[in-house]
Amino acid sequence: MRQQNSTIRNPQSKILIGLAIGTCLVAATGLPAQPPSMERPAGGGYGAGAVGEATFQIDPETGSLIVIADEETDQQIQQVIKQLDRPVPQVLIKVLFLEVTHGDDLDLGVEASFRYGGRTREVETGEVDPNTGEPLTEEVLQFQDTLETLFGLSAANEGAFWHIVKEDFDMTVHALAKVAKLEVLSRPSILARNNETAIITLGQEVPFIRNSRVTQDGQIINTIEYEDIGIILEVTPHISTNGVVEMTVAPEISTLSGETVPVSEGIEAPVIAKRAAETSCVVPDGMTVVIGGLMEDNETEAVRKVPILGDIPWLGTAFRRTIKSKTKTELLIFLTPHVVQRTSGLEPLSIAESQKADLAGVAFTQDELDKHLEGQEKLIRRREEKVEPQKPLRRAKMWLWPAVQIFK
């Protein structure tokens, strides 16, 4: 019987396919001998769709697959392995948060106090003036009746105040106009392998009190857990052969609002502003789609007034307080997948993404960039000119290119 040896090694997955006769391959690898059957059916060949026997062994140290079979069976096994042994596709998933909030508030009100019906009383022995601490020797003037309006202006600490103070009359005029503008533009992105979950977190770990208990000595013991606050992107892609990406994606942006709420005696918990979405979607390669959004117009007007008097034209302003609030919010969440079938496609994709950075090319010298990027000068190029901040809409068009028709 003629013996033939052939070896094919795939550097991607370290698969070793060998063709040998029984003990020859066993002696070379040290694996247990399991020689295949080399008998062929009458006629000298196998029928259509039929193959001979084969023995498979796996070397866990090298990640190699060893096949022992006859020549015809080995050829068919090689074809199957070549179909299976392909690079795992990857996908770069980009998520864009675009939020614009405009607010216009007005607070206008008047409070007044009028005292009348005054009377006097005799000074008691040893009574002193509460303001000066000096002994009182004359009669004390008292006011028996008071007419006043209260609309909560004493708690206001912003705006313009006009105080009029007389002997028996006080008046406070308060006016505040507030215009707010919030623009949030954030684009986290991450490269993930097919059918594997990828997570990117940019932010802080903030402690939160989850449980409190009081000991017998009266001490309070709190149980603290840490949560991630910032930009979080979690995605699990499933790439089909035609480039369509089915993915489960959960983007989130959360920040500390600066406000707190009491949860128990002496303990306050921070309030977190959160924008998040969690969905499963199917998106073609390179297409930008909207996976969530919010359009909100909120207008409120609260009037606190004295009945009847507050309804008098012009004069009624002195007997009421008006608070107006108008807010318009637009929030859109975009998603764009870019499929990379082979590792050779990573370089042009990396260059295209890194060249969108404005500040990195100005903040560092070319020597620093070359040193840390190992000579990949194409990724980030040194810029001498000063970079002016771009408006969020222009930056969104650049990040979502070529899907700029969305904002036309």
Side-chain angles (χ1 to χ4, degrees), residues 184-231:
V184 177
L185 186 62
S186 179
R187 198 206 66 172
S189 59
I190 191 170
L191 183 68
R193 294 186 67 189
N194 188 26
N195 299 323
E196 294 188 9
T197 301
I199 302 175
I200 182 173
T201 302
L202 303 173
Q204 301 173 328
E205 285 191 344
V206 180
F208 291 92
I209 298 177
R210 298 304 185 192
N211 187 23
S212 299
R213 62 184 180 90
V214 181
T215 63
Q216 296 180 352
D217 300 335
Q219 297 181 349
I220 300 177
I221 299 178
N222 299 320
T223 302
I224 296 177
E225 293 183 1
Y226 285 83
E227 287 189 9
D228 293 328
I229 302 298
I231 301 175

Side-chain angles (χ1 to χ4, degrees), residues 162-182:
W162 181 25
H163 300 280
I164 301 176
V165 181
K166 299 296 183 181
E167 183 178 352
D168 55 358
F169 177 76
D170 295 337
M171 186 175 70
T172 300
V173 180
H174 173 249
L176 172 64
K178 183 177 180 181
V179 178
K181 184 178 181 181
L182 172 65

Side-chain angles (χ1 to χ4, degrees), residues 90-303:
Q90 304 175 85
V91 57
L92 177 66
I93 299 175
K94 300 185 292 185
V95 177
L96 174 65
F97 286 86
L98 177 62
E99 179 181 359
V100 179
T101 300
H102 289 179
D104 189 1
D105 300 340
L106 176 64
D107 187 352
L108 181 62
V110 178
E111 285 185 350
S113 176
F114 177 66
R115 298 173 295 274
Y116 63 95
R119 62 182 179 86
T120 60
R121 65 174 177 84
E122 297 293 335
V123 177
E124 297 180 0
T125 304
E127 186 176 356
V128 297
D129 189 340
N131 296 324
T132 62
E134 299 292 334
L136 295 176
T137 58
E138 300 179 355
E139 294 181 339
V140 179
L141 178 63
Q142 290 184 329
F143 293 93
Q144 183 178 0
D145 303 311
T146 302
L147 177 64
E148 62 182 351
T149 57
L150 296 175
F151 300 122
L153 294 182
S154 59
N157 53 11
E158 294 180 329
F161 294 88
W162 181 25
H163 300 280
I164 301 176
V165 181
K166 299 296 183 181
E167 183 178 352
D168 55 358
F169 177 76
D170 295 337
M171 186 175 70
T172 300
V173 180
H174 173 249
L176 172 64
K178 183 177 180 181
V179 178
K181 184 178 181 181
L182 172 65
E183 295 178 349
V184 177
L185 186 62
S186 179
R187 198 206 66 172
S189 59
I190 191 170
L191 183 68
R193 294 186 67 189
N194 188 26
N195 299 323
E196 294 188 9
T197 301
I199 302 175
I200 182 173
T201 302
L202 303 173
Q204 301 173 328
E205 285 191 344
V206 180
F208 291 92
I209 298 177
R210 298 304 185 192
N211 187 23
S212 299
R213 62 184 180 90
V214 181
T215 63
Q216 296 180 352
D217 300 335
Q219 297 181 349
I220 300 177
I221 299 178
N222 299 320
T223 302
I224 296 177
E225 293 183 1
Y226 285 83
E227 287 189 9
D228 293 328
I229 302 298
I231 301 175
I232 304 172
L233 175 59
E234 180 177 354
V235 61
T236 304
H238 308 283
I239 307 172
S240 63
T241 56
N242 56 357
V244 177
V245 183
E246 178 181 356
M247 69 193 84
T248 301
V249 59
E252 174 185 328
I253 292 183
S254 55
T255 56
L256 295 175
S257 62
E259 302 177 359
T260 58
V261 293
V263 293
S264 62
E265 184 178 357
I267 299 177
E268 294 186 347
V271 177
I272 300 175
K274 185 176 179 180
R275 308 162 191 87
E278 183 174 355
T279 183
S280 297
C281 56
V282 179
V283 184
D285 178 24
M287 177 179 291
T288 299
V289 297
V290 178
I291 62 173
L294 171 67
M295 303 291 180
E296 181 183 28
D297 288 328
N298 190 0
E299 186 172 355
T300 60
E301 181 176 352
V303 180

Side-chain angles (χ1 to χ4, degrees), residues 246-382:
E246 178 181 356
M247 69 193 84
T248 301
V249 59
E252 174 185 328
I253 292 183
S254 55
T255 56
L256 295 175
S257 62
E259 302 177 359
T260 58
V261 293
V263 293
S264 62
E265 184 178 357
I267 299 177
E268 294 186 347
V271 177
I272 300 175
K274 185 176 179 180
R275 308 162 191 87
E278 183 174 355
T279 183
S280 297
C281 56
V282 179
V283 184
D285 178 24
M287 177 179 291
T288 299
V289 297
V290 178
I291 62 173
L294 171 67
M295 303 291 180
E296 181 183 28
D297 288 328
N298 190 0
E299 186 172 355
T300 60
E301 181 176 352
V303 180
R304 304 173 184 176
K305 62 182 179 180
V306 178
I308 301 176
L309 295 180
D311 297 328
I312 301 175
W314 299 103
L315 183 61
T317 306
F319 300 94
R320 65 173 179 259
R321 180 185 181 185
T322 303
I323 301 177
K324 294 181 180 181
S325 178
K326 185 177 181 181
T327 305
K328 182 179 180 64
T329 301
E330 296 180 358
L331 171 63
L332 294 173
I333 304 176
F334 298 91
L335 183 143
T336 307
H338 293 278
V339 178
V340 182
Q341 294 289 352
R342 298 186 178 276
T343 55
S344 58
L346 291 175
E347 182 178 3
L349 185 61
S350 301
I351 294 175
E353 287 299 307
S354 60
Q355 289 182 352
K356 295 177 182 179
D358 294 332
L359 300 180
V362 179
F364 303 102
T365 64
Q366 190 62 47
D367 293 339
E368 292 174 332
L369 295 175
D370 293 342
K371 176 182 178 181
H372 296 286
L373 292 176
E374 298 182 357
Q376 298 294 329
E377 65 278 355
K378 295 181 181 179
L379 293 179
I380 299 178
R381 297 180 179 178
R382 170 67 182 173

Side-chain angles (χ1 to χ4, degrees), residues 6-21:
S6 63
T7 302
I8 301 176
R9 183 180 298 273
N10 190 320
Q12 297 293 336
S13 58
K14 298 181 180 179
I15 295 180
L16 178 63
I17 304 174
L19 177 61
I21 301 298

